[in-house]
Amino acid sequence: MMKKMWNLSSGIKRDSIVWIASLVLWLFCGCARLEKSDDIALPLPTQDIQDFIKDSKTLNPAKKAMLKKEYLEHFFAPFDRQPQHSAEELQWGLNQAYANLGFGENLLPYIKQEIEALEFEANLQTYPSVKKPAIVTRNSNLRVLPTNKPRFYNPKLAGEGFPFDYWQNSSIYVGTPVLITHYSRSKKWAFVESGFVSGWILSLDIGILNDNQILELKKNQDFLVVTHDFTPIKNVHQEYLESARIGMLLPLLGSTKNKYESQIFIRDSRGYAYARRVILERDSFAKFPMNFSAQAVAHLAQGIVGEKYGWGGMFGNRDCSMFLHDILGNFGFYLLRNSQAQMRQKNAESGQDSLYFDVSSFNEEQKKEQILQNAIPFGALLGMRGHIMLYLGELDGQIYILHDIWGLRTLQNETQEGRKIIGKIAITPLDIGKNIQGINQEKLLIKRIYGIRNLFAKSEFDDAR
């Protein structure tokens, strides 16, 4: 994300800027009334995931071993493959922008020359120009085009404008293997492919690996995952290097009673990666994969319930699919990056037919019956167009979900749509907003669900001993 450095020479200038910023914010909020429906009361249930734990079942050891093997194969896949995308596929962001120029950070329309400048920088006529295995050296963003500038659709429309930057593809964490397949004309940006998402990343946020480094990484048998989000990663001198995020994978190199030894890679001045030893507190990390159970998922997810919504991982937050990718990744489930890909993702052993249930043709009550009959609490994804949720189970006659949600569609009047913003990771009923005046009753989540996807078969559960 962009960082602006201000060189202010006096307190008067600072006060003026604060006053101007406050005025702009006031004016913007005044123009955004269609987005925020603050007059609609939308109570949420108690945000305690423990309320939904009904058994102590865990995945059997064979399934856990298989998940680890498959996860690591996906994780390290960029080191072993050819570029997966064509120049035409990389062109789609430019095509979208030429068809609809969109709006910039000043909420004014882009001009064609600005898009042409991005096309020139992308230099897709030479794609793919390289094939270099690398690793992410700083928590970063993957962009649709080589720019940190945002592109919004009409900010006056509900569900558009901030924070929906259509040039933001995903965030990506330190330690993630990638394949560099192309550089922008200035080489400020590199196009990279990871095991789950691709996009443009700042060249300063990745380091090129040599064959020996790749071999050593792939030889690791044990890895760590993060259990407390934003845990500081420090070197042996206790100097801050990066923040550890749930969903991140780090090699386990050694351990003591209270510490783990690991490493992250740093980029040198020539763009190559070198390892830095780090010492981690055991109470903020766990061996990968964690044992899957309702209790374990609840404990992990509870720590980020209430985290603000982040479109495409913006501002270090998560969106609906990244929330599931990160939380479930700790247990060995390697999910793709966006919601529709996660729903279509095929289980390598069982196949999608045995784990997926199509409910698109059912009415509201029939969908509820299908969910109660087929979905595994804490182990099933519920999908609708543009959104995905984790099924928690039934409580007091209500079906509940855990999801990272922007908001519910509202009806301002007969022609204007708005949003009741939730804007965070939250536990909600599946029919949240039902019979609440102002909420569009035809667009409730339950009515828009088209499928259920279990992450595993019920037969792969073991009773905890």
Side-chain angles (χ1 to χ4, degrees):
M1 56 189 72
M2 290 184 297
K3 295 183 179 178
K4 295 183 178 179
M5 298 184 65
W6 299 92
N7 184 16
L8 301 180
S9 59
S10 71
I12 294 176
K13 289 184 179 180
R14 281 192 291 270
D15 292 343
S16 299
I17 287 178
V18 170
W19 182 86
I20 292 170
S22 299
L23 178 61
V24 170
L25 180 62
W26 179 83
L27 290 170
F28 180 78
C29 291
C31 295
R33 289 177 183 172
L34 288 181
E35 182 73 15
K36 295 184 69 177
S37 301
D38 293 329
D39 56 333
I40 298 176
L42 192 67
L44 296 179
T46 302
Q47 298 294 292
D48 190 348
I49 310 176
Q50 301 287 330
D51 293 343
F52 301 92
I53 299 172
K54 295 185 177 181
D55 61 54
S56 57
K57 292 179 179 178
T58 186
L59 285 180
N60 62 50
K63 179 65 174 180
K64 181 180 176 182
M66 186 194 73
L67 287 173
K68 179 180 179 180
K69 179 177 180 292
E70 290 181 352
Y71 190 102
L72 294 177
E73 287 175 355
H74 285 292
F75 188 67
F76 289 117
F79 291 160
D80 301 320
R81 69 187 185 194
Q82 299 295 322
Q84 301 295 295
H85 299 288
S86 65
E88 290 74 21
E89 289 174 315
L90 269 67
Q91 184 78 27
W92 78 268
L94 288 166
N95 294 339
Q96 291 284 332
Y98 279 125
N100 181 346
L101 294 175
F103 295 75
E105 65 269 32
N106 59 357
L107 303 185
L108 295 176
Y110 276 108
I111 59 175
K112 185 179 178 183
Q113 288 81 356
E114 291 175 291
I115 310 303
E116 290 173 341
L118 288 175
E119 182 174 18
F120 181 79
E121 173 67 6
N123 194 26
L124 295 182
Q125 296 87 347
T126 64
Y127 174 87
S129 54
V130 296
K131 191 183 76 169
K132 295 182 178 180
I135 197 161
V136 177
T137 54
R138 294 195 300 188
N139 293 338
S140 190
N141 291 310
L142 293 182
R143 305 287 291 171
V144 173
L145 292 176
T147 179
N148 275 324
K149 298 284 188 179
R151 173 174 168 262
F152 304 118
Y153 286 162
N154 191 343
K156 295 180 180 179
L157 298 179
E160 300 297 349
F162 183 87
F164 301 105
D165 171 11
Y166 287 92
W167 283 340
Q168 172 71 8
N169 199 16
S170 179
S171 58
I172 192 165
Y173 300 143
V174 66
T176 305
V178 295
L179 180 68
I180 304 171
T181 61
H182 188 57
Y183 284 108
S184 68
R185 193 177 297 271
S186 69
K187 294 195 174 181
K188 177 181 178 180
W189 295 87
F191 190 86
V192 300
E193 299 176 358
S194 74
F196 72 103
V197 69
S198 302
W200 292 93
I201 190 172
L202 286 168
S203 297
L204 294 177
D205 293 349
I206 52 176
I208 299 167
L209 295 169
N210 61 42
D211 291 342
N212 288 334
Q213 290 171 316
I214 293 171
L215 184 62
E216 288 300 313
L217 277 170
K218 294 176 71 173
K219 279 171 56 178
N220 285 314
Q221 298 297 310
D222 296 307
F223 294 84
L224 297 169
V225 288
V226 186
T227 56
H228 294 91
D229 218 17
F230 291 104
T231 295
I233 299 176
K234 299 178 180 179
N235 62 20
V236 293
H237 304 294
Q238 290 300 295
E239 296 164 337
Y240 174 86
L241 296 177
E242 189 49 275
S243 293
R245 304 299 308 277
I246 292 173
M248 178 185 292
L249 199 65
L250 296 170
L252 173 57
L253 303 181
S255 64
T256 65
K257 182 178 179 180
N258 299 315
K259 309 283 186 180
Y260 286 122
E261 181 182 349
S262 184
Q263 68 180 21
I264 64 171
F265 283 88
I266 308 295
R267 181 187 189 274
D268 69 18
S269 60
R270 296 194 59 207
Y272 293 94
Y274 64 95
R276 272 289 175 261
R277 180 169 166 259
V278 295
I279 304 300
L280 308 172
E281 300 291 336
R282 287 181 73 112
D283 60 1
S284 294
F285 295 84
K287 291 185 178 180
F288 169 81
M290 298 170 62
N291 291 318
F292 180 93
S293 68
Q295 177 68 46
V297 176
H299 182 74
L300 180 65
Q302 191 70 57
I304 58 173
V305 166
E307 177 188 88
K308 293 180 180 179
Y309 178 89
W311 168 262
M314 288 172 60
F315 311 119
N317 298 324
R318 298 173 171 91
D319 56 23
C320 62
S321 54
M322 188 167 184
F323 163 63
L324 294 177
H325 175 275
D326 288 356
I327 288 291
L328 296 171
N330 270 28
F331 299 94
F333 298 101
Y334 200 87
L335 298 182
L336 297 175
R337 178 57 184 89
N338 69 65
S339 58
Q340 305 316 295
Q342 289 176 355
M343 286 301 294
R344 294 191 302 266
Q345 195 169 336
K346 196 169 184 178
N347 179 274
E349 182 180 21
S350 303
Q352 187 165 348
D353 289 342
S354 64
L355 298 177
Y356 181 80
F357 302 88
D358 186 345
V359 298
S360 58
S361 63
F362 295 156
N363 62 35
E364 184 176 337
E365 291 304 315
Q366 290 171 328
K367 287 179 180 180
K368 290 180 179 179
E369 290 176 7
Q370 288 292 311
I371 292 169
L372 291 172
Q373 179 180 345
N374 297 304
I376 300 173
F378 292 86
L381 310 180
L382 306 181
M384 53 180 266
R385 184 179 178 185
H387 192 54
I388 193 164
M389 303 149 276
L390 180 67
Y391 172 60
L392 292 181
E394 180 268 340
L395 188 65
D396 298 329
Q398 283 264 43
I399 293 176
Y400 285 90
I401 51 177
L402 179 64
H403 54 150
D404 202 340
I405 179 173
W406 175 244
L408 299 181
R409 300 189 183 198
T410 64
L411 293 174
Q412 304 295 111
N413 53 48
E414 292 182 356
T415 60
Q416 291 179 309
E417 185 180 74
R419 292 291 186 276
K420 173 60 181 179
I421 297 174
I422 299 173
K424 60 185 178 182
I425 299 171
I427 301 168
T428 73
L430 187 52
D431 60 359
I432 181 174
K434 187 172 184 178
N435 298 326
I436 293 181
Q437 186 175 3
I439 300 294
N440 189 339
Q441 298 298 297
E442 296 305 312
K443 301 295 184 179
L444 298 178
L445 301 180
I446 180 63
K447 293 188 176 182
R448 298 162 63 197
I449 287 175
Y450 64 73
I452 305 163
R453 188 173 95 78
N454 286 329
L455 296 169
F456 49 86
K458 294 180 181 179
S459 61
E460 293 173 313
F461 259 141
D462 278 346
D463 287 324
R465 293 177 174 83

